[in-house]
């Protein structure tokens, strides 16, 4: 169901923007429009021409179209498709080629005539590229033009592979990929160095020629670029903004991707709002940050001049508002993330009783725990709580091959020294499998197994530094991950059953987890869905009503100040310890040396920057000055659908 968050306040938006409660609902809307058109055309004996995208974004849309084909008899016999783009230099059967993606995700499951499916040829000779692109344009024209064009959007603002700098007249051509785009694709190619540098893409002009355009976007990672595309001037630095010039384009977003639109982020700037406590907090913190003032120094004029006069009228004066907000923010700070025993807890984020608490920390992959809440984890353990850390997936897909080779060397060496033929044999066999997989082959079971063990070892050494012993760690190795690969993950009953078993065994008083608002196909988001399903199944078990779920934002991001319900300060020593804990995850220092050379930050630096930044924000708001802060949001179950 479409939910317009605050209707009628869209004057900042320069094109039609629909916000759905989740990606599945948005996909249903678009799939319904596609199927309606195909049926009308089929009845009239005419063909339908679809422009298609690849990437994570349209996967659910394709799943819905496949379902409509299987269950509702939607036929694609009369459909012609043109894909937006293809990596240059990749053969069609390469696992990351867009031709292969389309076969796997859609074409192999519907009754489309493959002759009528078009993807730019990534192997065309350099001197033939221009002609080949012309032919692609001609073929679109000959088919009658594109009826419906599906788009995702890159964090650079690209549509297709039209990177910043592409203007509205561009046509199908060979382009160079932006470094951010290549970084975003690094995970799929098992390393940035493997990502092709060039691609063939339809132009912005080609896209604008389509009769109807749907741009889809999910997850908070897309929120900034969506806001720029929808509310900014059309500019070639954000090619998606040229869609404002299209007469019939809809942006279909989930809540998280819409998060930076003015009507969602600063609704008081575009019309009257209901001043709920959350809205008051959000707006006052925003005002203080905007004016660079501590909360207690905001004046009546500051409120009045920044679209918040009605808040003043409703609440009295800036004096009262400021004190209220100061206290609310102050009360989020606690050095006792498990609650302070025998203390008045009426204005503390966590209850004093029971003590000790059974605290369950969930990591969608090893390292989430220490990266996002290493200091808090250390405090929970130190303060005597009964802590369990459960890693939902092994994270084996994120281990680079050279790390496996190092492990093989070690196993072989030990095997030889101790004359253990079994170890030597195992190591040789994995080595051979690595050799024969080539640059882009998939990892065999044994390679994945060994990679998983490497991550277990890293997790153990890291946790031990923070005061968590091996017996407090659980490795669930959920099947959705073990049997899948990026973009192909799909959770099922077995995943939920494993989570239910863990929850029923531990009966936690508090759970720390992540994944809300992430890209729905990402590992944290799927892990979060599994937890939600499991909690539903456990409802009524007694312990669930006493259990609080605390959300950490996830690797690489932190909550905005107004979203934080619990802020755990880290002393300089604790912070140092956390960083040393992160260092133990040797295989995860993800950025390539070239990114680092250009001043980019690696995973390890990022963690320290984020926690320090949160501490600075609290300091700027006029609260105490800490070395670093880890932020958590109390999860309200009604936020998930
Ligand atoms: C894919 C394409 C790209 C993607 C964009 C978002 O054919 O043209 O513009 O739509 O990079 O990628 P995901 O969906 O993986 O976030």
């Amino acid at each position: 169901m479409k939910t317009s968050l605050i209707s009628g306040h869209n004057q900042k938006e320069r094109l039609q923007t629909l916000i759905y409660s989740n990606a599945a609902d948005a996909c249903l809307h678009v799939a319904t429009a596609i199927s309606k058109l195909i049926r009308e055309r089929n009845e009239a004996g005419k063909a339908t021409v679809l422009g298609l995208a690849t990437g994570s974004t349209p996967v659910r849309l394709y799943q819905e179209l496949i379902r409509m084909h299987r269950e509702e008899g939607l036929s694609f016999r009369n459909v012609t498709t043109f894909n937006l783009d293809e990596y240059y230099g990749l053969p069609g059967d390469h696992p990351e080629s867009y031709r292969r993606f389309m076969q796997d995700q859609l074409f192999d499951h519907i009754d489309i005539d493959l002759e009528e499916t078009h993807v730019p040829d990534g192997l065309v000779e350099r001197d033939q590229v221009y002609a080949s692109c012309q032919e692609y344009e001609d073929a679109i024209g000959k088919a009658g033009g594109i009826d419906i064009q599906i788009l995702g959007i890159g964090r650079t603002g690209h549509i297709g592979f039209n990177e910043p700098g592409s203007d509205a007249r561009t046509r199908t051509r060979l382009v160079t990929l932006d470094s951010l785009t290549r970084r975003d694709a690094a995970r799929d190619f098992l390393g940035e160095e493997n990502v092709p540098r060039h691609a063939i893409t339809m132009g912005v002009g080609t896209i604008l020629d389509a009769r109807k355009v749907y741009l889809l976007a999910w997850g908070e990672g897309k929120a900034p670029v969506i806001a720029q595309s929808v509310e900014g001037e059309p500019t070639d630095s954000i090619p998606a903004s040229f869609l404002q010039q299209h007469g019939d384009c809809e942006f279909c977003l989930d809540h998280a991707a819409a998060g930076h639109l003015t009507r969602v982020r600063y609704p008081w700037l575009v019309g009257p709002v209901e001043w709920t406590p959350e809205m008051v907090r959000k707006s006052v913190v925003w005002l203080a940050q905007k004016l660079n003032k501590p909360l207690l120094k905001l004046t009546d004029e500051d409120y009045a001049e920044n679209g918040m006069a009605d808040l003043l009228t409703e609440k009295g004066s800036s004096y009262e508002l400021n004190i209220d907000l100061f206290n609310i923010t102050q009360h989020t700070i606690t050095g006792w993330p498990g609650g302070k025993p025998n203390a008045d807890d009426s204005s503390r984020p966590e209850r004093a009783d029971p003590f000790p608490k059974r605290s369950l920390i969930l990591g969608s992959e090893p390292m989430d725990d220490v990266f996002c809440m290493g200091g808090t984890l250390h405090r929970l353990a130190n303060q005597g709580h009964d802590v369990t850390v459960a890693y939902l997936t092994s994270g084996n897909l994120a281990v680079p091959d050279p790390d496996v080779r190092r492990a093989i060397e070690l196993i072989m060496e030990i095997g030889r020294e101790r004359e253990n033929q079994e170890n030597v044999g195992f190591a040789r066999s994995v080595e051979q499998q690595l050799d024969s997989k080539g640059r882009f082959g998939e990892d065999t079971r044994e390679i994945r197994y060994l990679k998983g063990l490497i991550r277990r070892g890293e997790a153990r050494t890291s946790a031990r530094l923070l005061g968590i012993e091996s017996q407090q760690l659980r490795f669930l190795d959920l099947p959705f991950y073990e049997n899948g690969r990026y973009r192909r993950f799909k959770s099922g009953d077995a995943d939920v059953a494993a989570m239910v078993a863990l929850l029923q065994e531990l009966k936690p008083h508090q759970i720390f987890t992540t994944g809300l608002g992430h890209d729905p196909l990402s590992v944290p988001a799927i892990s979060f869905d599994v937890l939600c399903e499991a909690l539903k199944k456990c409802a009524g078990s007694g312990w669930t009503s006493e259990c609080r779920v605390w959300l950490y934002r996830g690797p690489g991001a932190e909550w905005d100040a107004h979203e934080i319900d619990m802020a755990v300060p880290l002393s300089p020593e604790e912070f140092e310890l956390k960083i040393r804990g992160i260092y133990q995850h040797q295989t995860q220092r993800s950025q390539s040396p070239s990114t680092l050379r250009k001043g980019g930050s690696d995973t390890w630096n990022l963690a320290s920057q984020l926690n320090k930044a949160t501490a600075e924000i609290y300091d700027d708001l006029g609260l105490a000055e800490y070395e670093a802060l880890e932020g958590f949001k109390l999860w309200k179950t009604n936020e998930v659908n």
Side-chain angles (χ1 to χ4, degrees), residues 52-59 62 83-87 98 101-102 149-163 181 184 187-188 201 207 216-218 222 487 519:
L52 299 178
T54 56
S56 303
T57 309
V59 169
Y62 297 152
N83 262 82
L84 284 164
D85 40 19
E86 178 61 284
Y87 288 112
Y98 285 168
F101 176 96
M102 290 310 301
Q149 175 67 54
I150 303 301
L151 298 175
I153 183 169
R155 288 196 298 150
T156 58
H158 73 215
I159 44 177
F161 273 137
N162 293 286
E163 298 289 14
T181 300
D184 282 347
R187 191 195 56 182
D188 302 323
T201 181
I207 293 168
L216 317 179
W218 333 125
K222 300 285 172 71
R487 294 212 182 102
D519 171 348

Side-chain angles (χ1 to χ4, degrees), residues 27-37 61 64-65 68:
C27 287
L28 184 61
H29 164 70
V30 179
T32 306
I34 293 175
S35 88
K36 188 164 169 280
L37 182 73
L61 171 68
E64 182 55 28
L65 289 174
M68 288 175 163

